[in-house]
Amino acid sequence: MIVKTLPPSSRPIQEDSRNGTNRRGELDVIDIVPEENGTQSLVVPQISPAQKLRTTAQPETLYDPVSIAAHYQNRKVQVVRRIFAVLGPTLSFAFGLWSDSKRGIVVKNDRRRATQLRVLLTQLGPAYIKIGQALSTRPDLVPPVYLEELTKLQDQLPPFPNEIAYQFIKEELGAPPEEVYAELSAQPIAAASLGQVYKGKLKTGEEVAVKIQRPDLREGITIDLYILRNLAAWVQKKVKRVRSDLVGILDELGDRIFEEMDYIHEGENAERFFNLYGHIKDIYVPKIYWEYTNRRVLTMEWINGIKLTQTEEISAQGINARYLIEVGVQCSLRQLLEHGFFHADPHPGNLLATPDGKLAYLDFGMMSEIQPPQRYGLIEAIVHVVNRDFEGLAKDYVKLDFLSPETDLTPIIPAFARVFADAEGASVADLNIKSITDELSALMYEYPFRVPPYYALIIRSLVTLEGIAIFIDPNFKVLSEAYPYVSKRLLTDPAPQLRASLQDLLFKDGRFRWNRLENLLRNARNSQDYDFNLVLNQGIEFLSSERGAFIRDKLVDESVNGLDALGKNVLHNFTSLLRERVGLTTVNETPSATVEQQQTLEHIKRILGILRETKGFDPVQLAPKIAQLLVNSDVQRLGQQIANRFTQKAVARLIRQLLAS
């Protein structure tokens, strides 16, 4: 019979893992349904694939460092053998590089050594292959010859025999390949660190990619994780300068790798990714065929596409590779800063340009999540970096758990200023993430920083994406591309954390910084989904609420000052006209606005110009909105405050002038 795995229900039943029942106390029901061809299908109603898998109690699908340690505690010979298996060829390769350099050979241009490195990482196993994959996206770190070889680790690894792959299909799907698929390629079309992919066709005619897991994968990865975890614990204990939770970081990586070895979990990730980001313009997420998916076999929609790093082939099809990387950056920003569910392995083999000019994501095995406090903290940190507010940045690092709350930030603030000294006279957004990360890494050795576990995968994801971006365009700046989105979030997100950040950004020493607002609006209008009407409505709602009291009061003062300056200029021009053209010299010439007031007026003019050029600004549609706003009690209260303050100021000036005369 063919075992069919149903997709996740829109209303999944939470089961109790202790007794195998769901939250309603009912046992899970399994039906045997006869098919037209005489076979039988196993159908599990109202239960997700991952829940189905957990119901069958397979603990090896979850990463458990305690169980792994207990397993290898009495297998010391096996562990020592693995250590020497890694150290031997690694030291031999390192000695070869040293010997070549002594003989005057330019190692970075030696293709022979580059090939040896690729073969070495392949032989060491999946954990080391993933290290090579990460390096393959860094043209700023790896010489071109090595880069070309390491790129082969993405999908050109040695395949395992078809016989094993076919056996896995039979074990996981309940039937041999010829009964499940109408067609299946004779050989795998790609082989990666954890599995290999065949091109196939379903009996219903759809072209599919069939991913099958490598044999003995779990054993090879667990022993490496066990060794590395013990090494991390030793370093953390013995090396006092290391304050980061190395064991926690490794456990986070272990969790992700074990999830990646569960193809049902990967299928769920793909569907969740589609629900969250599939609506973004020019993003494509392939469909999962649950009827033909289980723990070691995944069947998904076949995507015709070209790797983003194959720029010549992409250009030949009339597709702009740089535009697609911009799309990828915008999608990544939403992953990291909006929903928190992000693709932790966006190497070139997982990002394809489709013939119709879309960016297709593949391989949803290594995904991770970032919680709301960290998401808001990252947004605030980006704002503080771009605006060179290093005191705010130091406080962000406390919020993000890099520094303990009792840490003295006094020496750290100028240290941040030194890190970003290269940006003096230019925007910090012109720096790239890699350079900032390197500088901050050096800083972390000098001061009591610690690296929280969640941070490692975020940096891996961002640095990998940036590596692809600068391969396509060496001048690409991810921070520069990110700031419009961050600006939009600051102006539209009602979250209290971001409202407080907006307040800190716009006010300093009680004074409103018009240049910051101008900069925010100019950047935000470049964001793809920025909506002028949304900003207008949310701005009015916020200003009229209790939360916006501080900004409201300050804006009233600034508005009065602006009107006062405008009135001064009008009166100055009028009295000048009377004196010079009409000849009424008895009329005293009224002074114009001060330099500071004049600068404020210029900012306001530029802001109005930015708003007119913003997507969604339409005078015809704006007129009824203004009419609605004018009858809004909160807006009327704001108007009354401005009118009262302006009247008071005008009367006070008149009294002063009368007394002076």
Side-chain angles (χ1 to χ4, degrees):
M1 69 179 181
I2 298 177
V3 180
K4 292 190 176 182
T5 312
L6 295 186
S9 169
S10 58
R11 296 171 63 187
I13 299 172
Q14 300 286 331
E15 91 230 24
D16 188 333
S17 58
R18 293 168 295 182
N19 57 21
T21 62
N22 57 50
R23 287 282 176 88
R24 292 198 303 254
E26 302 168 347
L27 292 172
D28 298 318
V29 181
I30 299 177
D31 294 333
I32 304 295
V33 181
E35 300 282 351
E36 293 181 359
N37 58 8
T39 63
Q40 292 178 318
S41 297
L42 186 65
V43 179
V44 185
Q46 291 187 323
I47 188 167
S48 77
Q51 289 171 328
K52 172 180 178 290
L53 184 58
R54 286 194 293 272
T55 303
T56 58
Q58 299 188 39
E60 71 272 14
T61 62
L62 301 174
Y63 174 68
D64 184 354
V66 176
S67 298
I68 291 173
H71 176 78
Y72 287 108
Q73 197 67 42
N74 300 318
R75 293 173 171 81
K76 296 189 183 297
V77 174
Q78 183 183 355
V79 173
V80 172
R81 189 182 299 127
R82 177 57 182 167
I83 291 173
F84 279 104
V86 173
L87 277 181
T90 302
L91 292 176
S92 175
F93 177 75
F95 178 78
L97 293 179
W98 177 82
S99 176
D100 285 351
S101 64
K102 290 297 182 183
R103 289 184 290 146
I105 298 174
V106 182
V107 175
K108 68 178 184 179
N109 297 330
D110 191 347
R111 184 171 294 277
R112 177 176 57 92
R113 292 296 185 192
T115 303
Q116 284 180 357
L117 177 60
R118 173 180 57 79
V119 172
L120 171 64
L121 293 174
T122 302
Q123 291 173 345
L124 291 181
Y128 298 91
I129 290 170
K130 288 199 167 291
I131 293 173
Q133 288 175 343
L135 289 173
S136 73
T137 64
R138 298 306 309 186
D140 52 337
L141 295 179
V142 181
V145 172
Y146 285 76
L147 200 70
E148 186 178 336
E149 284 295 321
L150 292 178
T151 300
K152 297 176 182 177
L153 294 175
Q154 293 165 9
D155 54 13
Q156 298 178 42
L157 293 171
F160 58 89
N162 284 345
E163 292 75 14
I164 297 176
Y166 296 161
Q167 180 63 30
F168 281 4
I169 291 176
K170 185 175 181 179
E171 290 175 4
E172 296 296 316
L173 303 185
E178 59 271 15
E179 293 184 19
V180 179
Y181 304 102
E183 296 177 12
L184 201 64
S185 58
Q187 297 297 329
I189 50 94
S193 54
L194 303 188
Q196 61 192 34
V197 179
Y198 294 81
K199 184 176 182 180
K201 182 179 286 188
L202 299 179
K203 295 188 183 295
T204 51
E206 298 100 321
E207 285 190 332
V208 293
V210 183
K211 185 158 77 168
I212 303 168
Q213 195 173 107
R214 287 185 177 276
D216 304 322
L217 184 61
R218 202 169 305 275
E219 180 70 17
I221 284 180
T222 51
I223 192 169
D224 282 339
L225 287 174
Y226 171 74
I227 293 169
L228 291 171
R229 193 175 191 273
N230 279 293
L231 178 63
W234 182 87
V235 171
Q236 197 168 304
K237 182 179 180 181
K238 298 294 184 182
V239 183
K240 299 302 181 185
R241 290 178 67 87
V242 175
R243 292 173 291 267
S244 300
D245 184 6
L246 298 182
V247 173
I249 291 171
L250 200 69
D251 285 344
E252 176 78 9
L253 182 63
D255 280 333
R256 301 290 83 79
I257 291 178
F258 266 65
E259 288 176 356
E260 196 173 359
M261 289 189 287
D262 177 5
Y263 287 169
I264 291 179
H265 187 79
E266 179 174 346
E268 286 187 313
N269 285 342
E271 293 204 333
R272 184 180 175 190
F273 193 89
F274 171 79
N275 290 334
L276 291 176
Y277 314 114
H279 67 280
I280 297 175
K281 187 175 183 293
D282 293 327
I283 290 291
Y284 193 85
V285 182
K287 174 185 176 182
I288 302 296
Y289 291 91
W290 285 107
E291 300 92 334
Y292 313 102
T293 293
N294 216 324
R295 191 165 61 87
R296 293 181 296 177
V297 177
L298 174 69
T299 303
M300 66 191 301
E301 178 185 357
W302 177 263
I303 302 294
N304 289 307
I306 305 169
K307 289 183 187 179
L308 281 188
T309 48
Q310 295 176 308
T311 51
E312 292 183 4
E313 291 87 340
I314 292 175
S315 297
Q317 293 198 8
I319 300 170
N320 186 343
R322 195 189 191 286
Y323 166 73
L324 288 184
I325 201 64
E326 289 173 6
V327 170
V329 168
Q330 294 302 316
C331 183
S332 291
L333 290 170
R334 282 157 182 77
Q335 292 173 48
L336 291 169
L337 304 178
E338 196 163 323
H339 299 290
F341 181 65
F342 68 95
H343 199 298
D345 194 21
H347 66 69
N350 294 336
L351 296 172
L352 300 181
T354 65
D356 57 350
K358 293 186 178 182
L359 178 65
Y361 277 80
L362 305 178
D363 195 347
F364 301 93
M366 185 170 282
M367 309 291 290
S368 190
E369 290 197 62
I370 175 171
Q371 299 306 312
Q374 284 79 38
R375 298 206 294 268
Y376 292 127
L378 285 172
I379 292 175
E380 292 175 289
I382 292 172
V383 171
H384 291 142
V385 165
V386 172
N387 290 292
R388 305 181 63 78
D389 181 357
F390 302 124
E391 182 179 354
L393 184 62
K395 293 176 181 176
D396 293 334
Y397 269 72
V398 175
K399 293 179 189 175
L400 292 169
D401 205 28
F402 282 82
L403 294 166
S404 60
E406 62 273 10
T407 304
D408 180 14
L409 302 179
T410 307
I412 295 177
I413 294 168
F416 276 133
R418 290 195 300 273
V419 166
F420 297 105
D422 291 341
E424 193 68 48
S427 170
V428 180
D430 289 335
L431 294 176
N432 61 47
I433 291 172
K434 178 63 176 57
S435 64
I436 292 174
T437 307
D438 288 347
E439 294 285 352
L440 290 176
S441 297
L443 191 68
M444 287 178 183
Y445 281 102
E446 298 180 36
Y447 298 96
F449 284 90
R450 59 195 179 199
V451 179
Y454 74 86
Y455 177 74
L457 286 176
I458 293 174
I459 287 300
R460 182 180 189 272
S461 175
L462 282 176
V463 170
T464 300
L465 185 65
E466 185 181 64
I468 301 171
I470 62 178
F471 182 91
I472 294 171
D473 179 3
N475 296 317
F476 195 97
K477 306 297 180 186
V478 170
L479 269 180
S480 182
E481 294 290 331
Y483 200 56
Y485 169 80
V486 172
S487 300
K488 186 268 296 186
R489 284 291 299 277
L490 277 177
L491 290 168
T492 60
D493 197 311
Q497 299 95 321
L498 295 189
R499 288 304 183 196
S501 182
L502 179 63
Q503 177 177 307
D504 292 340
L505 181 69
L506 295 180
F507 290 93
K508 185 175 184 180
D509 299 328
R511 296 192 63 81
F512 190 83
R513 295 189 282 188
W514 287 99
N515 61 320
R516 291 288 175 87
L517 178 60
E518 184 183 337
N519 188 36
L520 270 181
L521 290 169
R522 182 179 288 110
N523 278 284
R525 72 178 180 185
N526 295 325
S527 182
Q528 291 180 357
D529 53 357
Y530 180 73
D531 190 324
F532 173 80
N533 292 320
L534 178 65
V535 174
L536 181 64
N537 293 335
Q538 289 190 347
I540 294 296
E541 184 275 329
F542 175 68
L543 287 174
S544 60
S545 70
E546 189 63 34
R547 294 174 293 124
F550 176 79
I551 291 183
R552 180 174 64 242
D553 292 341
K554 294 297 180 182
L555 276 180
V556 167
D557 290 339
E558 292 294 333
S559 299
V560 169
N561 289 335
L563 288 172
D564 185 41
L566 187 62
K568 279 185 176 181
N569 282 345
V570 170
L571 195 56
H572 170 75
N573 293 335
F574 179 68
T575 55
S576 296
L577 181 67
L578 288 177
R579 286 175 61 84
E580 295 176 12
R581 298 190 181 180
V582 182
L584 294 178
T585 54
T586 56
V587 177
N588 293 326
E589 186 174 354
T590 306
S592 62
T594 64
V595 174
E596 185 179 355
Q597 289 176 325
Q598 196 65 44
Q599 289 174 344
T600 298
L601 281 177
E602 291 300 320
H603 280 304
I604 293 174
K605 288 178 185 177
R606 286 197 293 270
I607 286 171
L608 292 174
I610 292 169
L611 293 177
R612 281 196 300 270
E613 297 169 5
T614 300
K615 180 179 63 177
F617 180 87
D618 184 349
V620 176
Q621 295 183 3
L622 199 59
K625 284 186 174 293
I626 292 175
Q628 291 176 1
L629 288 173
L630 290 176
V631 298
N632 184 300
S633 59
D634 296 322
V635 175
Q636 288 177 349
R637 188 166 63 251
L638 274 175
Q640 288 169 0
Q641 285 181 287
I642 293 172
N644 289 339
R645 298 264 188 97
F646 183 69
T647 302
Q648 290 171 8
K649 205 163 191 175
V651 170
R653 183 183 298 112
L654 179 61
I655 292 172
R656 282 198 306 270
Q657 289 176 347
L658 288 173
L659 290 174
S661 62

